[in-house]
Structure formats: structure tokens, C-alpha cells
Amino acid sequence: MARHLLYVQTETSRAPSVLGVIEDSGLKPLVLRSGAEQIYLVVPVDTSQADRLLLELKPILGAEDWMALDTPAWTYPEAEADEREEPTPAEELEQALDAAARLHWGFVFLVLASAAIAFAGLIRDDPLLVLASMIIAPLMGPLMALGFGLLWRHQKLVLRSALTAATGALLAWGSAWLLTLVFNRWIPIQPEQQLLARSSPNLFDLALALITGAVGAYSFIRGQGQTLVGVMVAIALLPPLVASGIFSALGKPAPATGALYLATINAAALLLTATLGYGVRFRVSVRRLWPLAVLLLLLGLLLWWASARGFWQVRPA
């Protein structure tokens, strides 16, 4: 396996934190130069360790600090190395997720457009239109970025992606609510199969969300866009939000709550399994994720209780 040298220069006040991260990774840093204000380190690392160490050190270093990774002098070729699929480099993955976490007008347009398409598909009972809104899936990117930020405790990424995801969810729900009020004045909306299917979540939906969350993390890590499209369709975050807005505008709080709960538990399951996938890839302890796992367990128990009692069923007017 290729060997690298990681060079790090940081202020003396941050040196204990930097050395702690390096030593916790089982590595032995060498102090090349140490002064009153700066310390200069070099760390021998394997290729498999480099990505993780760069990500862990980045939030610690200050604006004037720097680090650099050299290229190996030589590598011994491994059997069938060309045929094996290599993961996306960590820095490239972080850049892609950081871009997906940002709130911008393009994201707002995609949310409103996909919500309108989902609205049309749900009230017309047209599965093709609902499928089209799933493929757009504007909320997938911020949630995948949120999972990455939670794993690395990247506060800026967590706040940015959470704000973007919450804004997108609110826009989708609000636009569906407004469209229903306007549309229902001329043509009364009667809940059909596509709409009713999003109002009564069950444990099968939770299991599906867990599986697709893991596949979503794998797709982002490997850079496989085709696989990610399938995840977007399977997890279906936007149609439940739109269904909740429709039922709410129609004055049906029980199915509106059920559809909103489906979107919530899909998002929570996606976050948990996506974060676990990132942790496995970068060999990071996932014990810090126990609050998310407990939250998902509580949501699952409430889901089982409510679905068993038919709490979210549409009642006759």
C-alpha cells in the first residue's frame, strides 16, 4: 500500500488538539520544528488513513494553519487494481456535500417545481407524475450532507444543511397547502390511491428508509449518480410532505399528521443509515450517533402503535 507524509503547521495553542487527533488514530507524529508560536509536524500515513485524518484535522486548524499531503514516491501494484472500484476522495466528497447543503434559488425552484408535480400526481392519482417528483428529490442532498456533518461534528455543515432541508420541507408543505385551497374552490379534491398511500405509514416504510439511506451514502461515496436516482425514488421524501399539506388544507388532520410522520421517519432513517455508511467508509467510531439511533427507535415505536390502531386513517366527512 502506498505511503504518504502529512505535513501540518499549527499554532502552539492548538498543538495539543492536533496531536490528540493524530495519536487517537494510532499514528506517531514527528515534531520537525517547535517554537513559541508555531509547531511543525510530519506524520507518516497510509493511503487508507489519509482521507480520514485530513477530515478530522480540518475543523481544528485555524485560518493561518496549513497541512499538505505529499504524493508517494512509488507504489507496489496490487492484483486487479484497475478493475476495483475506488471511492471518491474524502475532500471531493466533502465539497460535493457542502454544495448540496447550500440554500440557493435553484434549490427553491426545484422544491416548488417538484412539489407542484407531486401535487398534480397525487390529486389526479397519476403514479407517473408522482414518480417524476421523486426523481427530482431536492431534499436528498441536504439530508445526505447533514448526515456527513453529524458524523464529523462539522457544525457549519450541520447548521447549513439542516436549514436548507427545513426550508425545503416547509416550502413543499406550504405550496401544497396553498394549491389545495385554490384548486379545491373549483374542483373538489377526493383522496385517491396515490394520496391515501402516503397517509398511513407503517414499519415497512421504516425498513425501506433504513435500507435506502445506506444505499444513498454508498452512492455519494462512490459517485454513482444512477444508483442515487433509484434511492431518490425509493425514499420518497417529497410526496408525503405534499400529501400532508393537501390533507391539512382539506381539514383532515389525522391523515395530514400521518403523511407528515412518514416524511419525518423517512428523513430520520435516511440520516442514521447514511451516517453509519460514512462512518464505515472512513473508519470513524459511530458511538457518537446514539442520540439519533434512540430518536429513530422512539419514532419506530410510535409508528407501530399509531398504525396498529388506525390513527391515521381517513375518516368519512
Side-chain angles (χ1 to χ4, degrees):
M1 182 177 293
R3 296 285 291 179
H4 301 266
L5 292 177
L6 175 64
Y7 299 93
V8 182
Q9 180 173 304
T10 183
E11 292 185 8
T12 305
S13 61
R14 282 188 284 271
S17 298
V18 172
L19 290 170
V21 169
I22 295 173
E23 291 172 355
D24 287 345
S25 300
L27 301 172
K28 296 181 178 181
L30 303 176
V31 179
L32 296 185
R33 184 171 65 252
S34 179
E37 297 181 355
Q38 298 282 340
I39 185 171
Y40 187 41
L41 308 171
V42 62
V43 189
V45 294
D46 290 332
T47 303
S48 60
Q49 299 170 314
D51 284 346
R52 192 183 83 175
L53 193 57
L54 286 169
L55 283 172
E56 290 184 342
L57 289 175
K58 188 174 181 179
I60 300 175
L61 298 180
E64 302 298 325
D65 300 339
W66 61 268
M67 57 183 172
L69 185 69
D70 74 344
T71 55
W74 68 84
T75 59
Y76 292 101
E78 301 180 23
E80 300 180 357
D82 294 337
E83 300 179 7
R84 188 175 59 254
E85 186 180 17
E86 292 295 335
T88 304
E91 290 188 343
E92 183 178 338
L93 174 61
E94 184 182 11
Q95 291 173 2
L97 291 170
D98 183 72
R102 295 183 181 276
L103 179 61
H104 51 84
W105 288 112
F107 172 79
V108 172
F109 169 75
L110 288 177
V111 169
L112 294 177
S114 55
I117 294 172
F119 173 81
L122 290 172
I123 65 171
R124 293 177 56 183
D125 203 32
D126 188 336
L128 292 180
L129 287 176
V130 178
L131 178 64
S133 71
M134 294 178 185
I135 294 175
I136 298 173
L139 298 179
M140 176 68 70
L143 286 175
M144 297 302 295
L146 179 57
F148 190 82
L150 288 173
L151 177 66
W152 294 105
R153 296 178 179 174
H154 195 315
Q155 186 175 3
K156 289 184 178 179
L157 184 60
V158 168
L159 293 176
R160 184 185 300 128
S161 55
L163 176 62
T164 302
T167 302
L170 184 60
L171 284 172
W173 190 95
S175 61
W177 181 83
L178 184 60
L179 286 171
T180 303
L181 289 181
V182 174
F183 191 85
N184 201 44
R185 287 177 177 271
W186 288 277
I187 304 177
I189 297 175
Q190 297 297 329
E192 301 289 346
Q193 181 179 359
Q194 290 295 321
L195 191 54
L196 294 174
R198 271 86 188 173
S199 66
S200 300
N202 52 47
L203 292 178
F204 176 80
D205 296 307
L206 174 58
L208 179 62
L210 289 170
I211 295 171
T212 50
V215 178
Y218 176 86
S219 302
F220 264 95
I221 292 170
R222 298 286 181 173
Q224 295 182 336
Q226 292 180 346
T227 305
L228 193 57
V229 170
V231 175
M232 293 172 180
V233 173
I235 199 68
L237 292 169
L238 200 97
L241 287 171
V242 173
S244 177
I246 293 173
F247 279 121
S248 181
L250 292 176
K252 299 180 182 296
T257 305
L260 184 61
Y261 197 85
L262 174 59
T264 301
I265 203 164
N266 276 353
L270 175 65
L271 276 177
L272 178 63
T273 50
T275 309
L276 286 173
Y278 292 137
V280 171
R281 163 61 182 89
F282 296 111
R283 302 179 184 179
V284 178
S285 173
V286 294
R287 287 178 296 178
R288 64 187 69 172
L289 301 179
W290 68 266
L292 188 58
V294 170
L295 173 62
L296 187 61
L297 177 61
L298 294 176
L299 289 173
L301 291 174
L302 180 58
L303 175 66
W304 169 78
W305 177 84
S307 60
R309 285 159 176 76
F311 179 74
W312 292 310
Q313 291 181 0
V314 178
R315 309 297 180 187

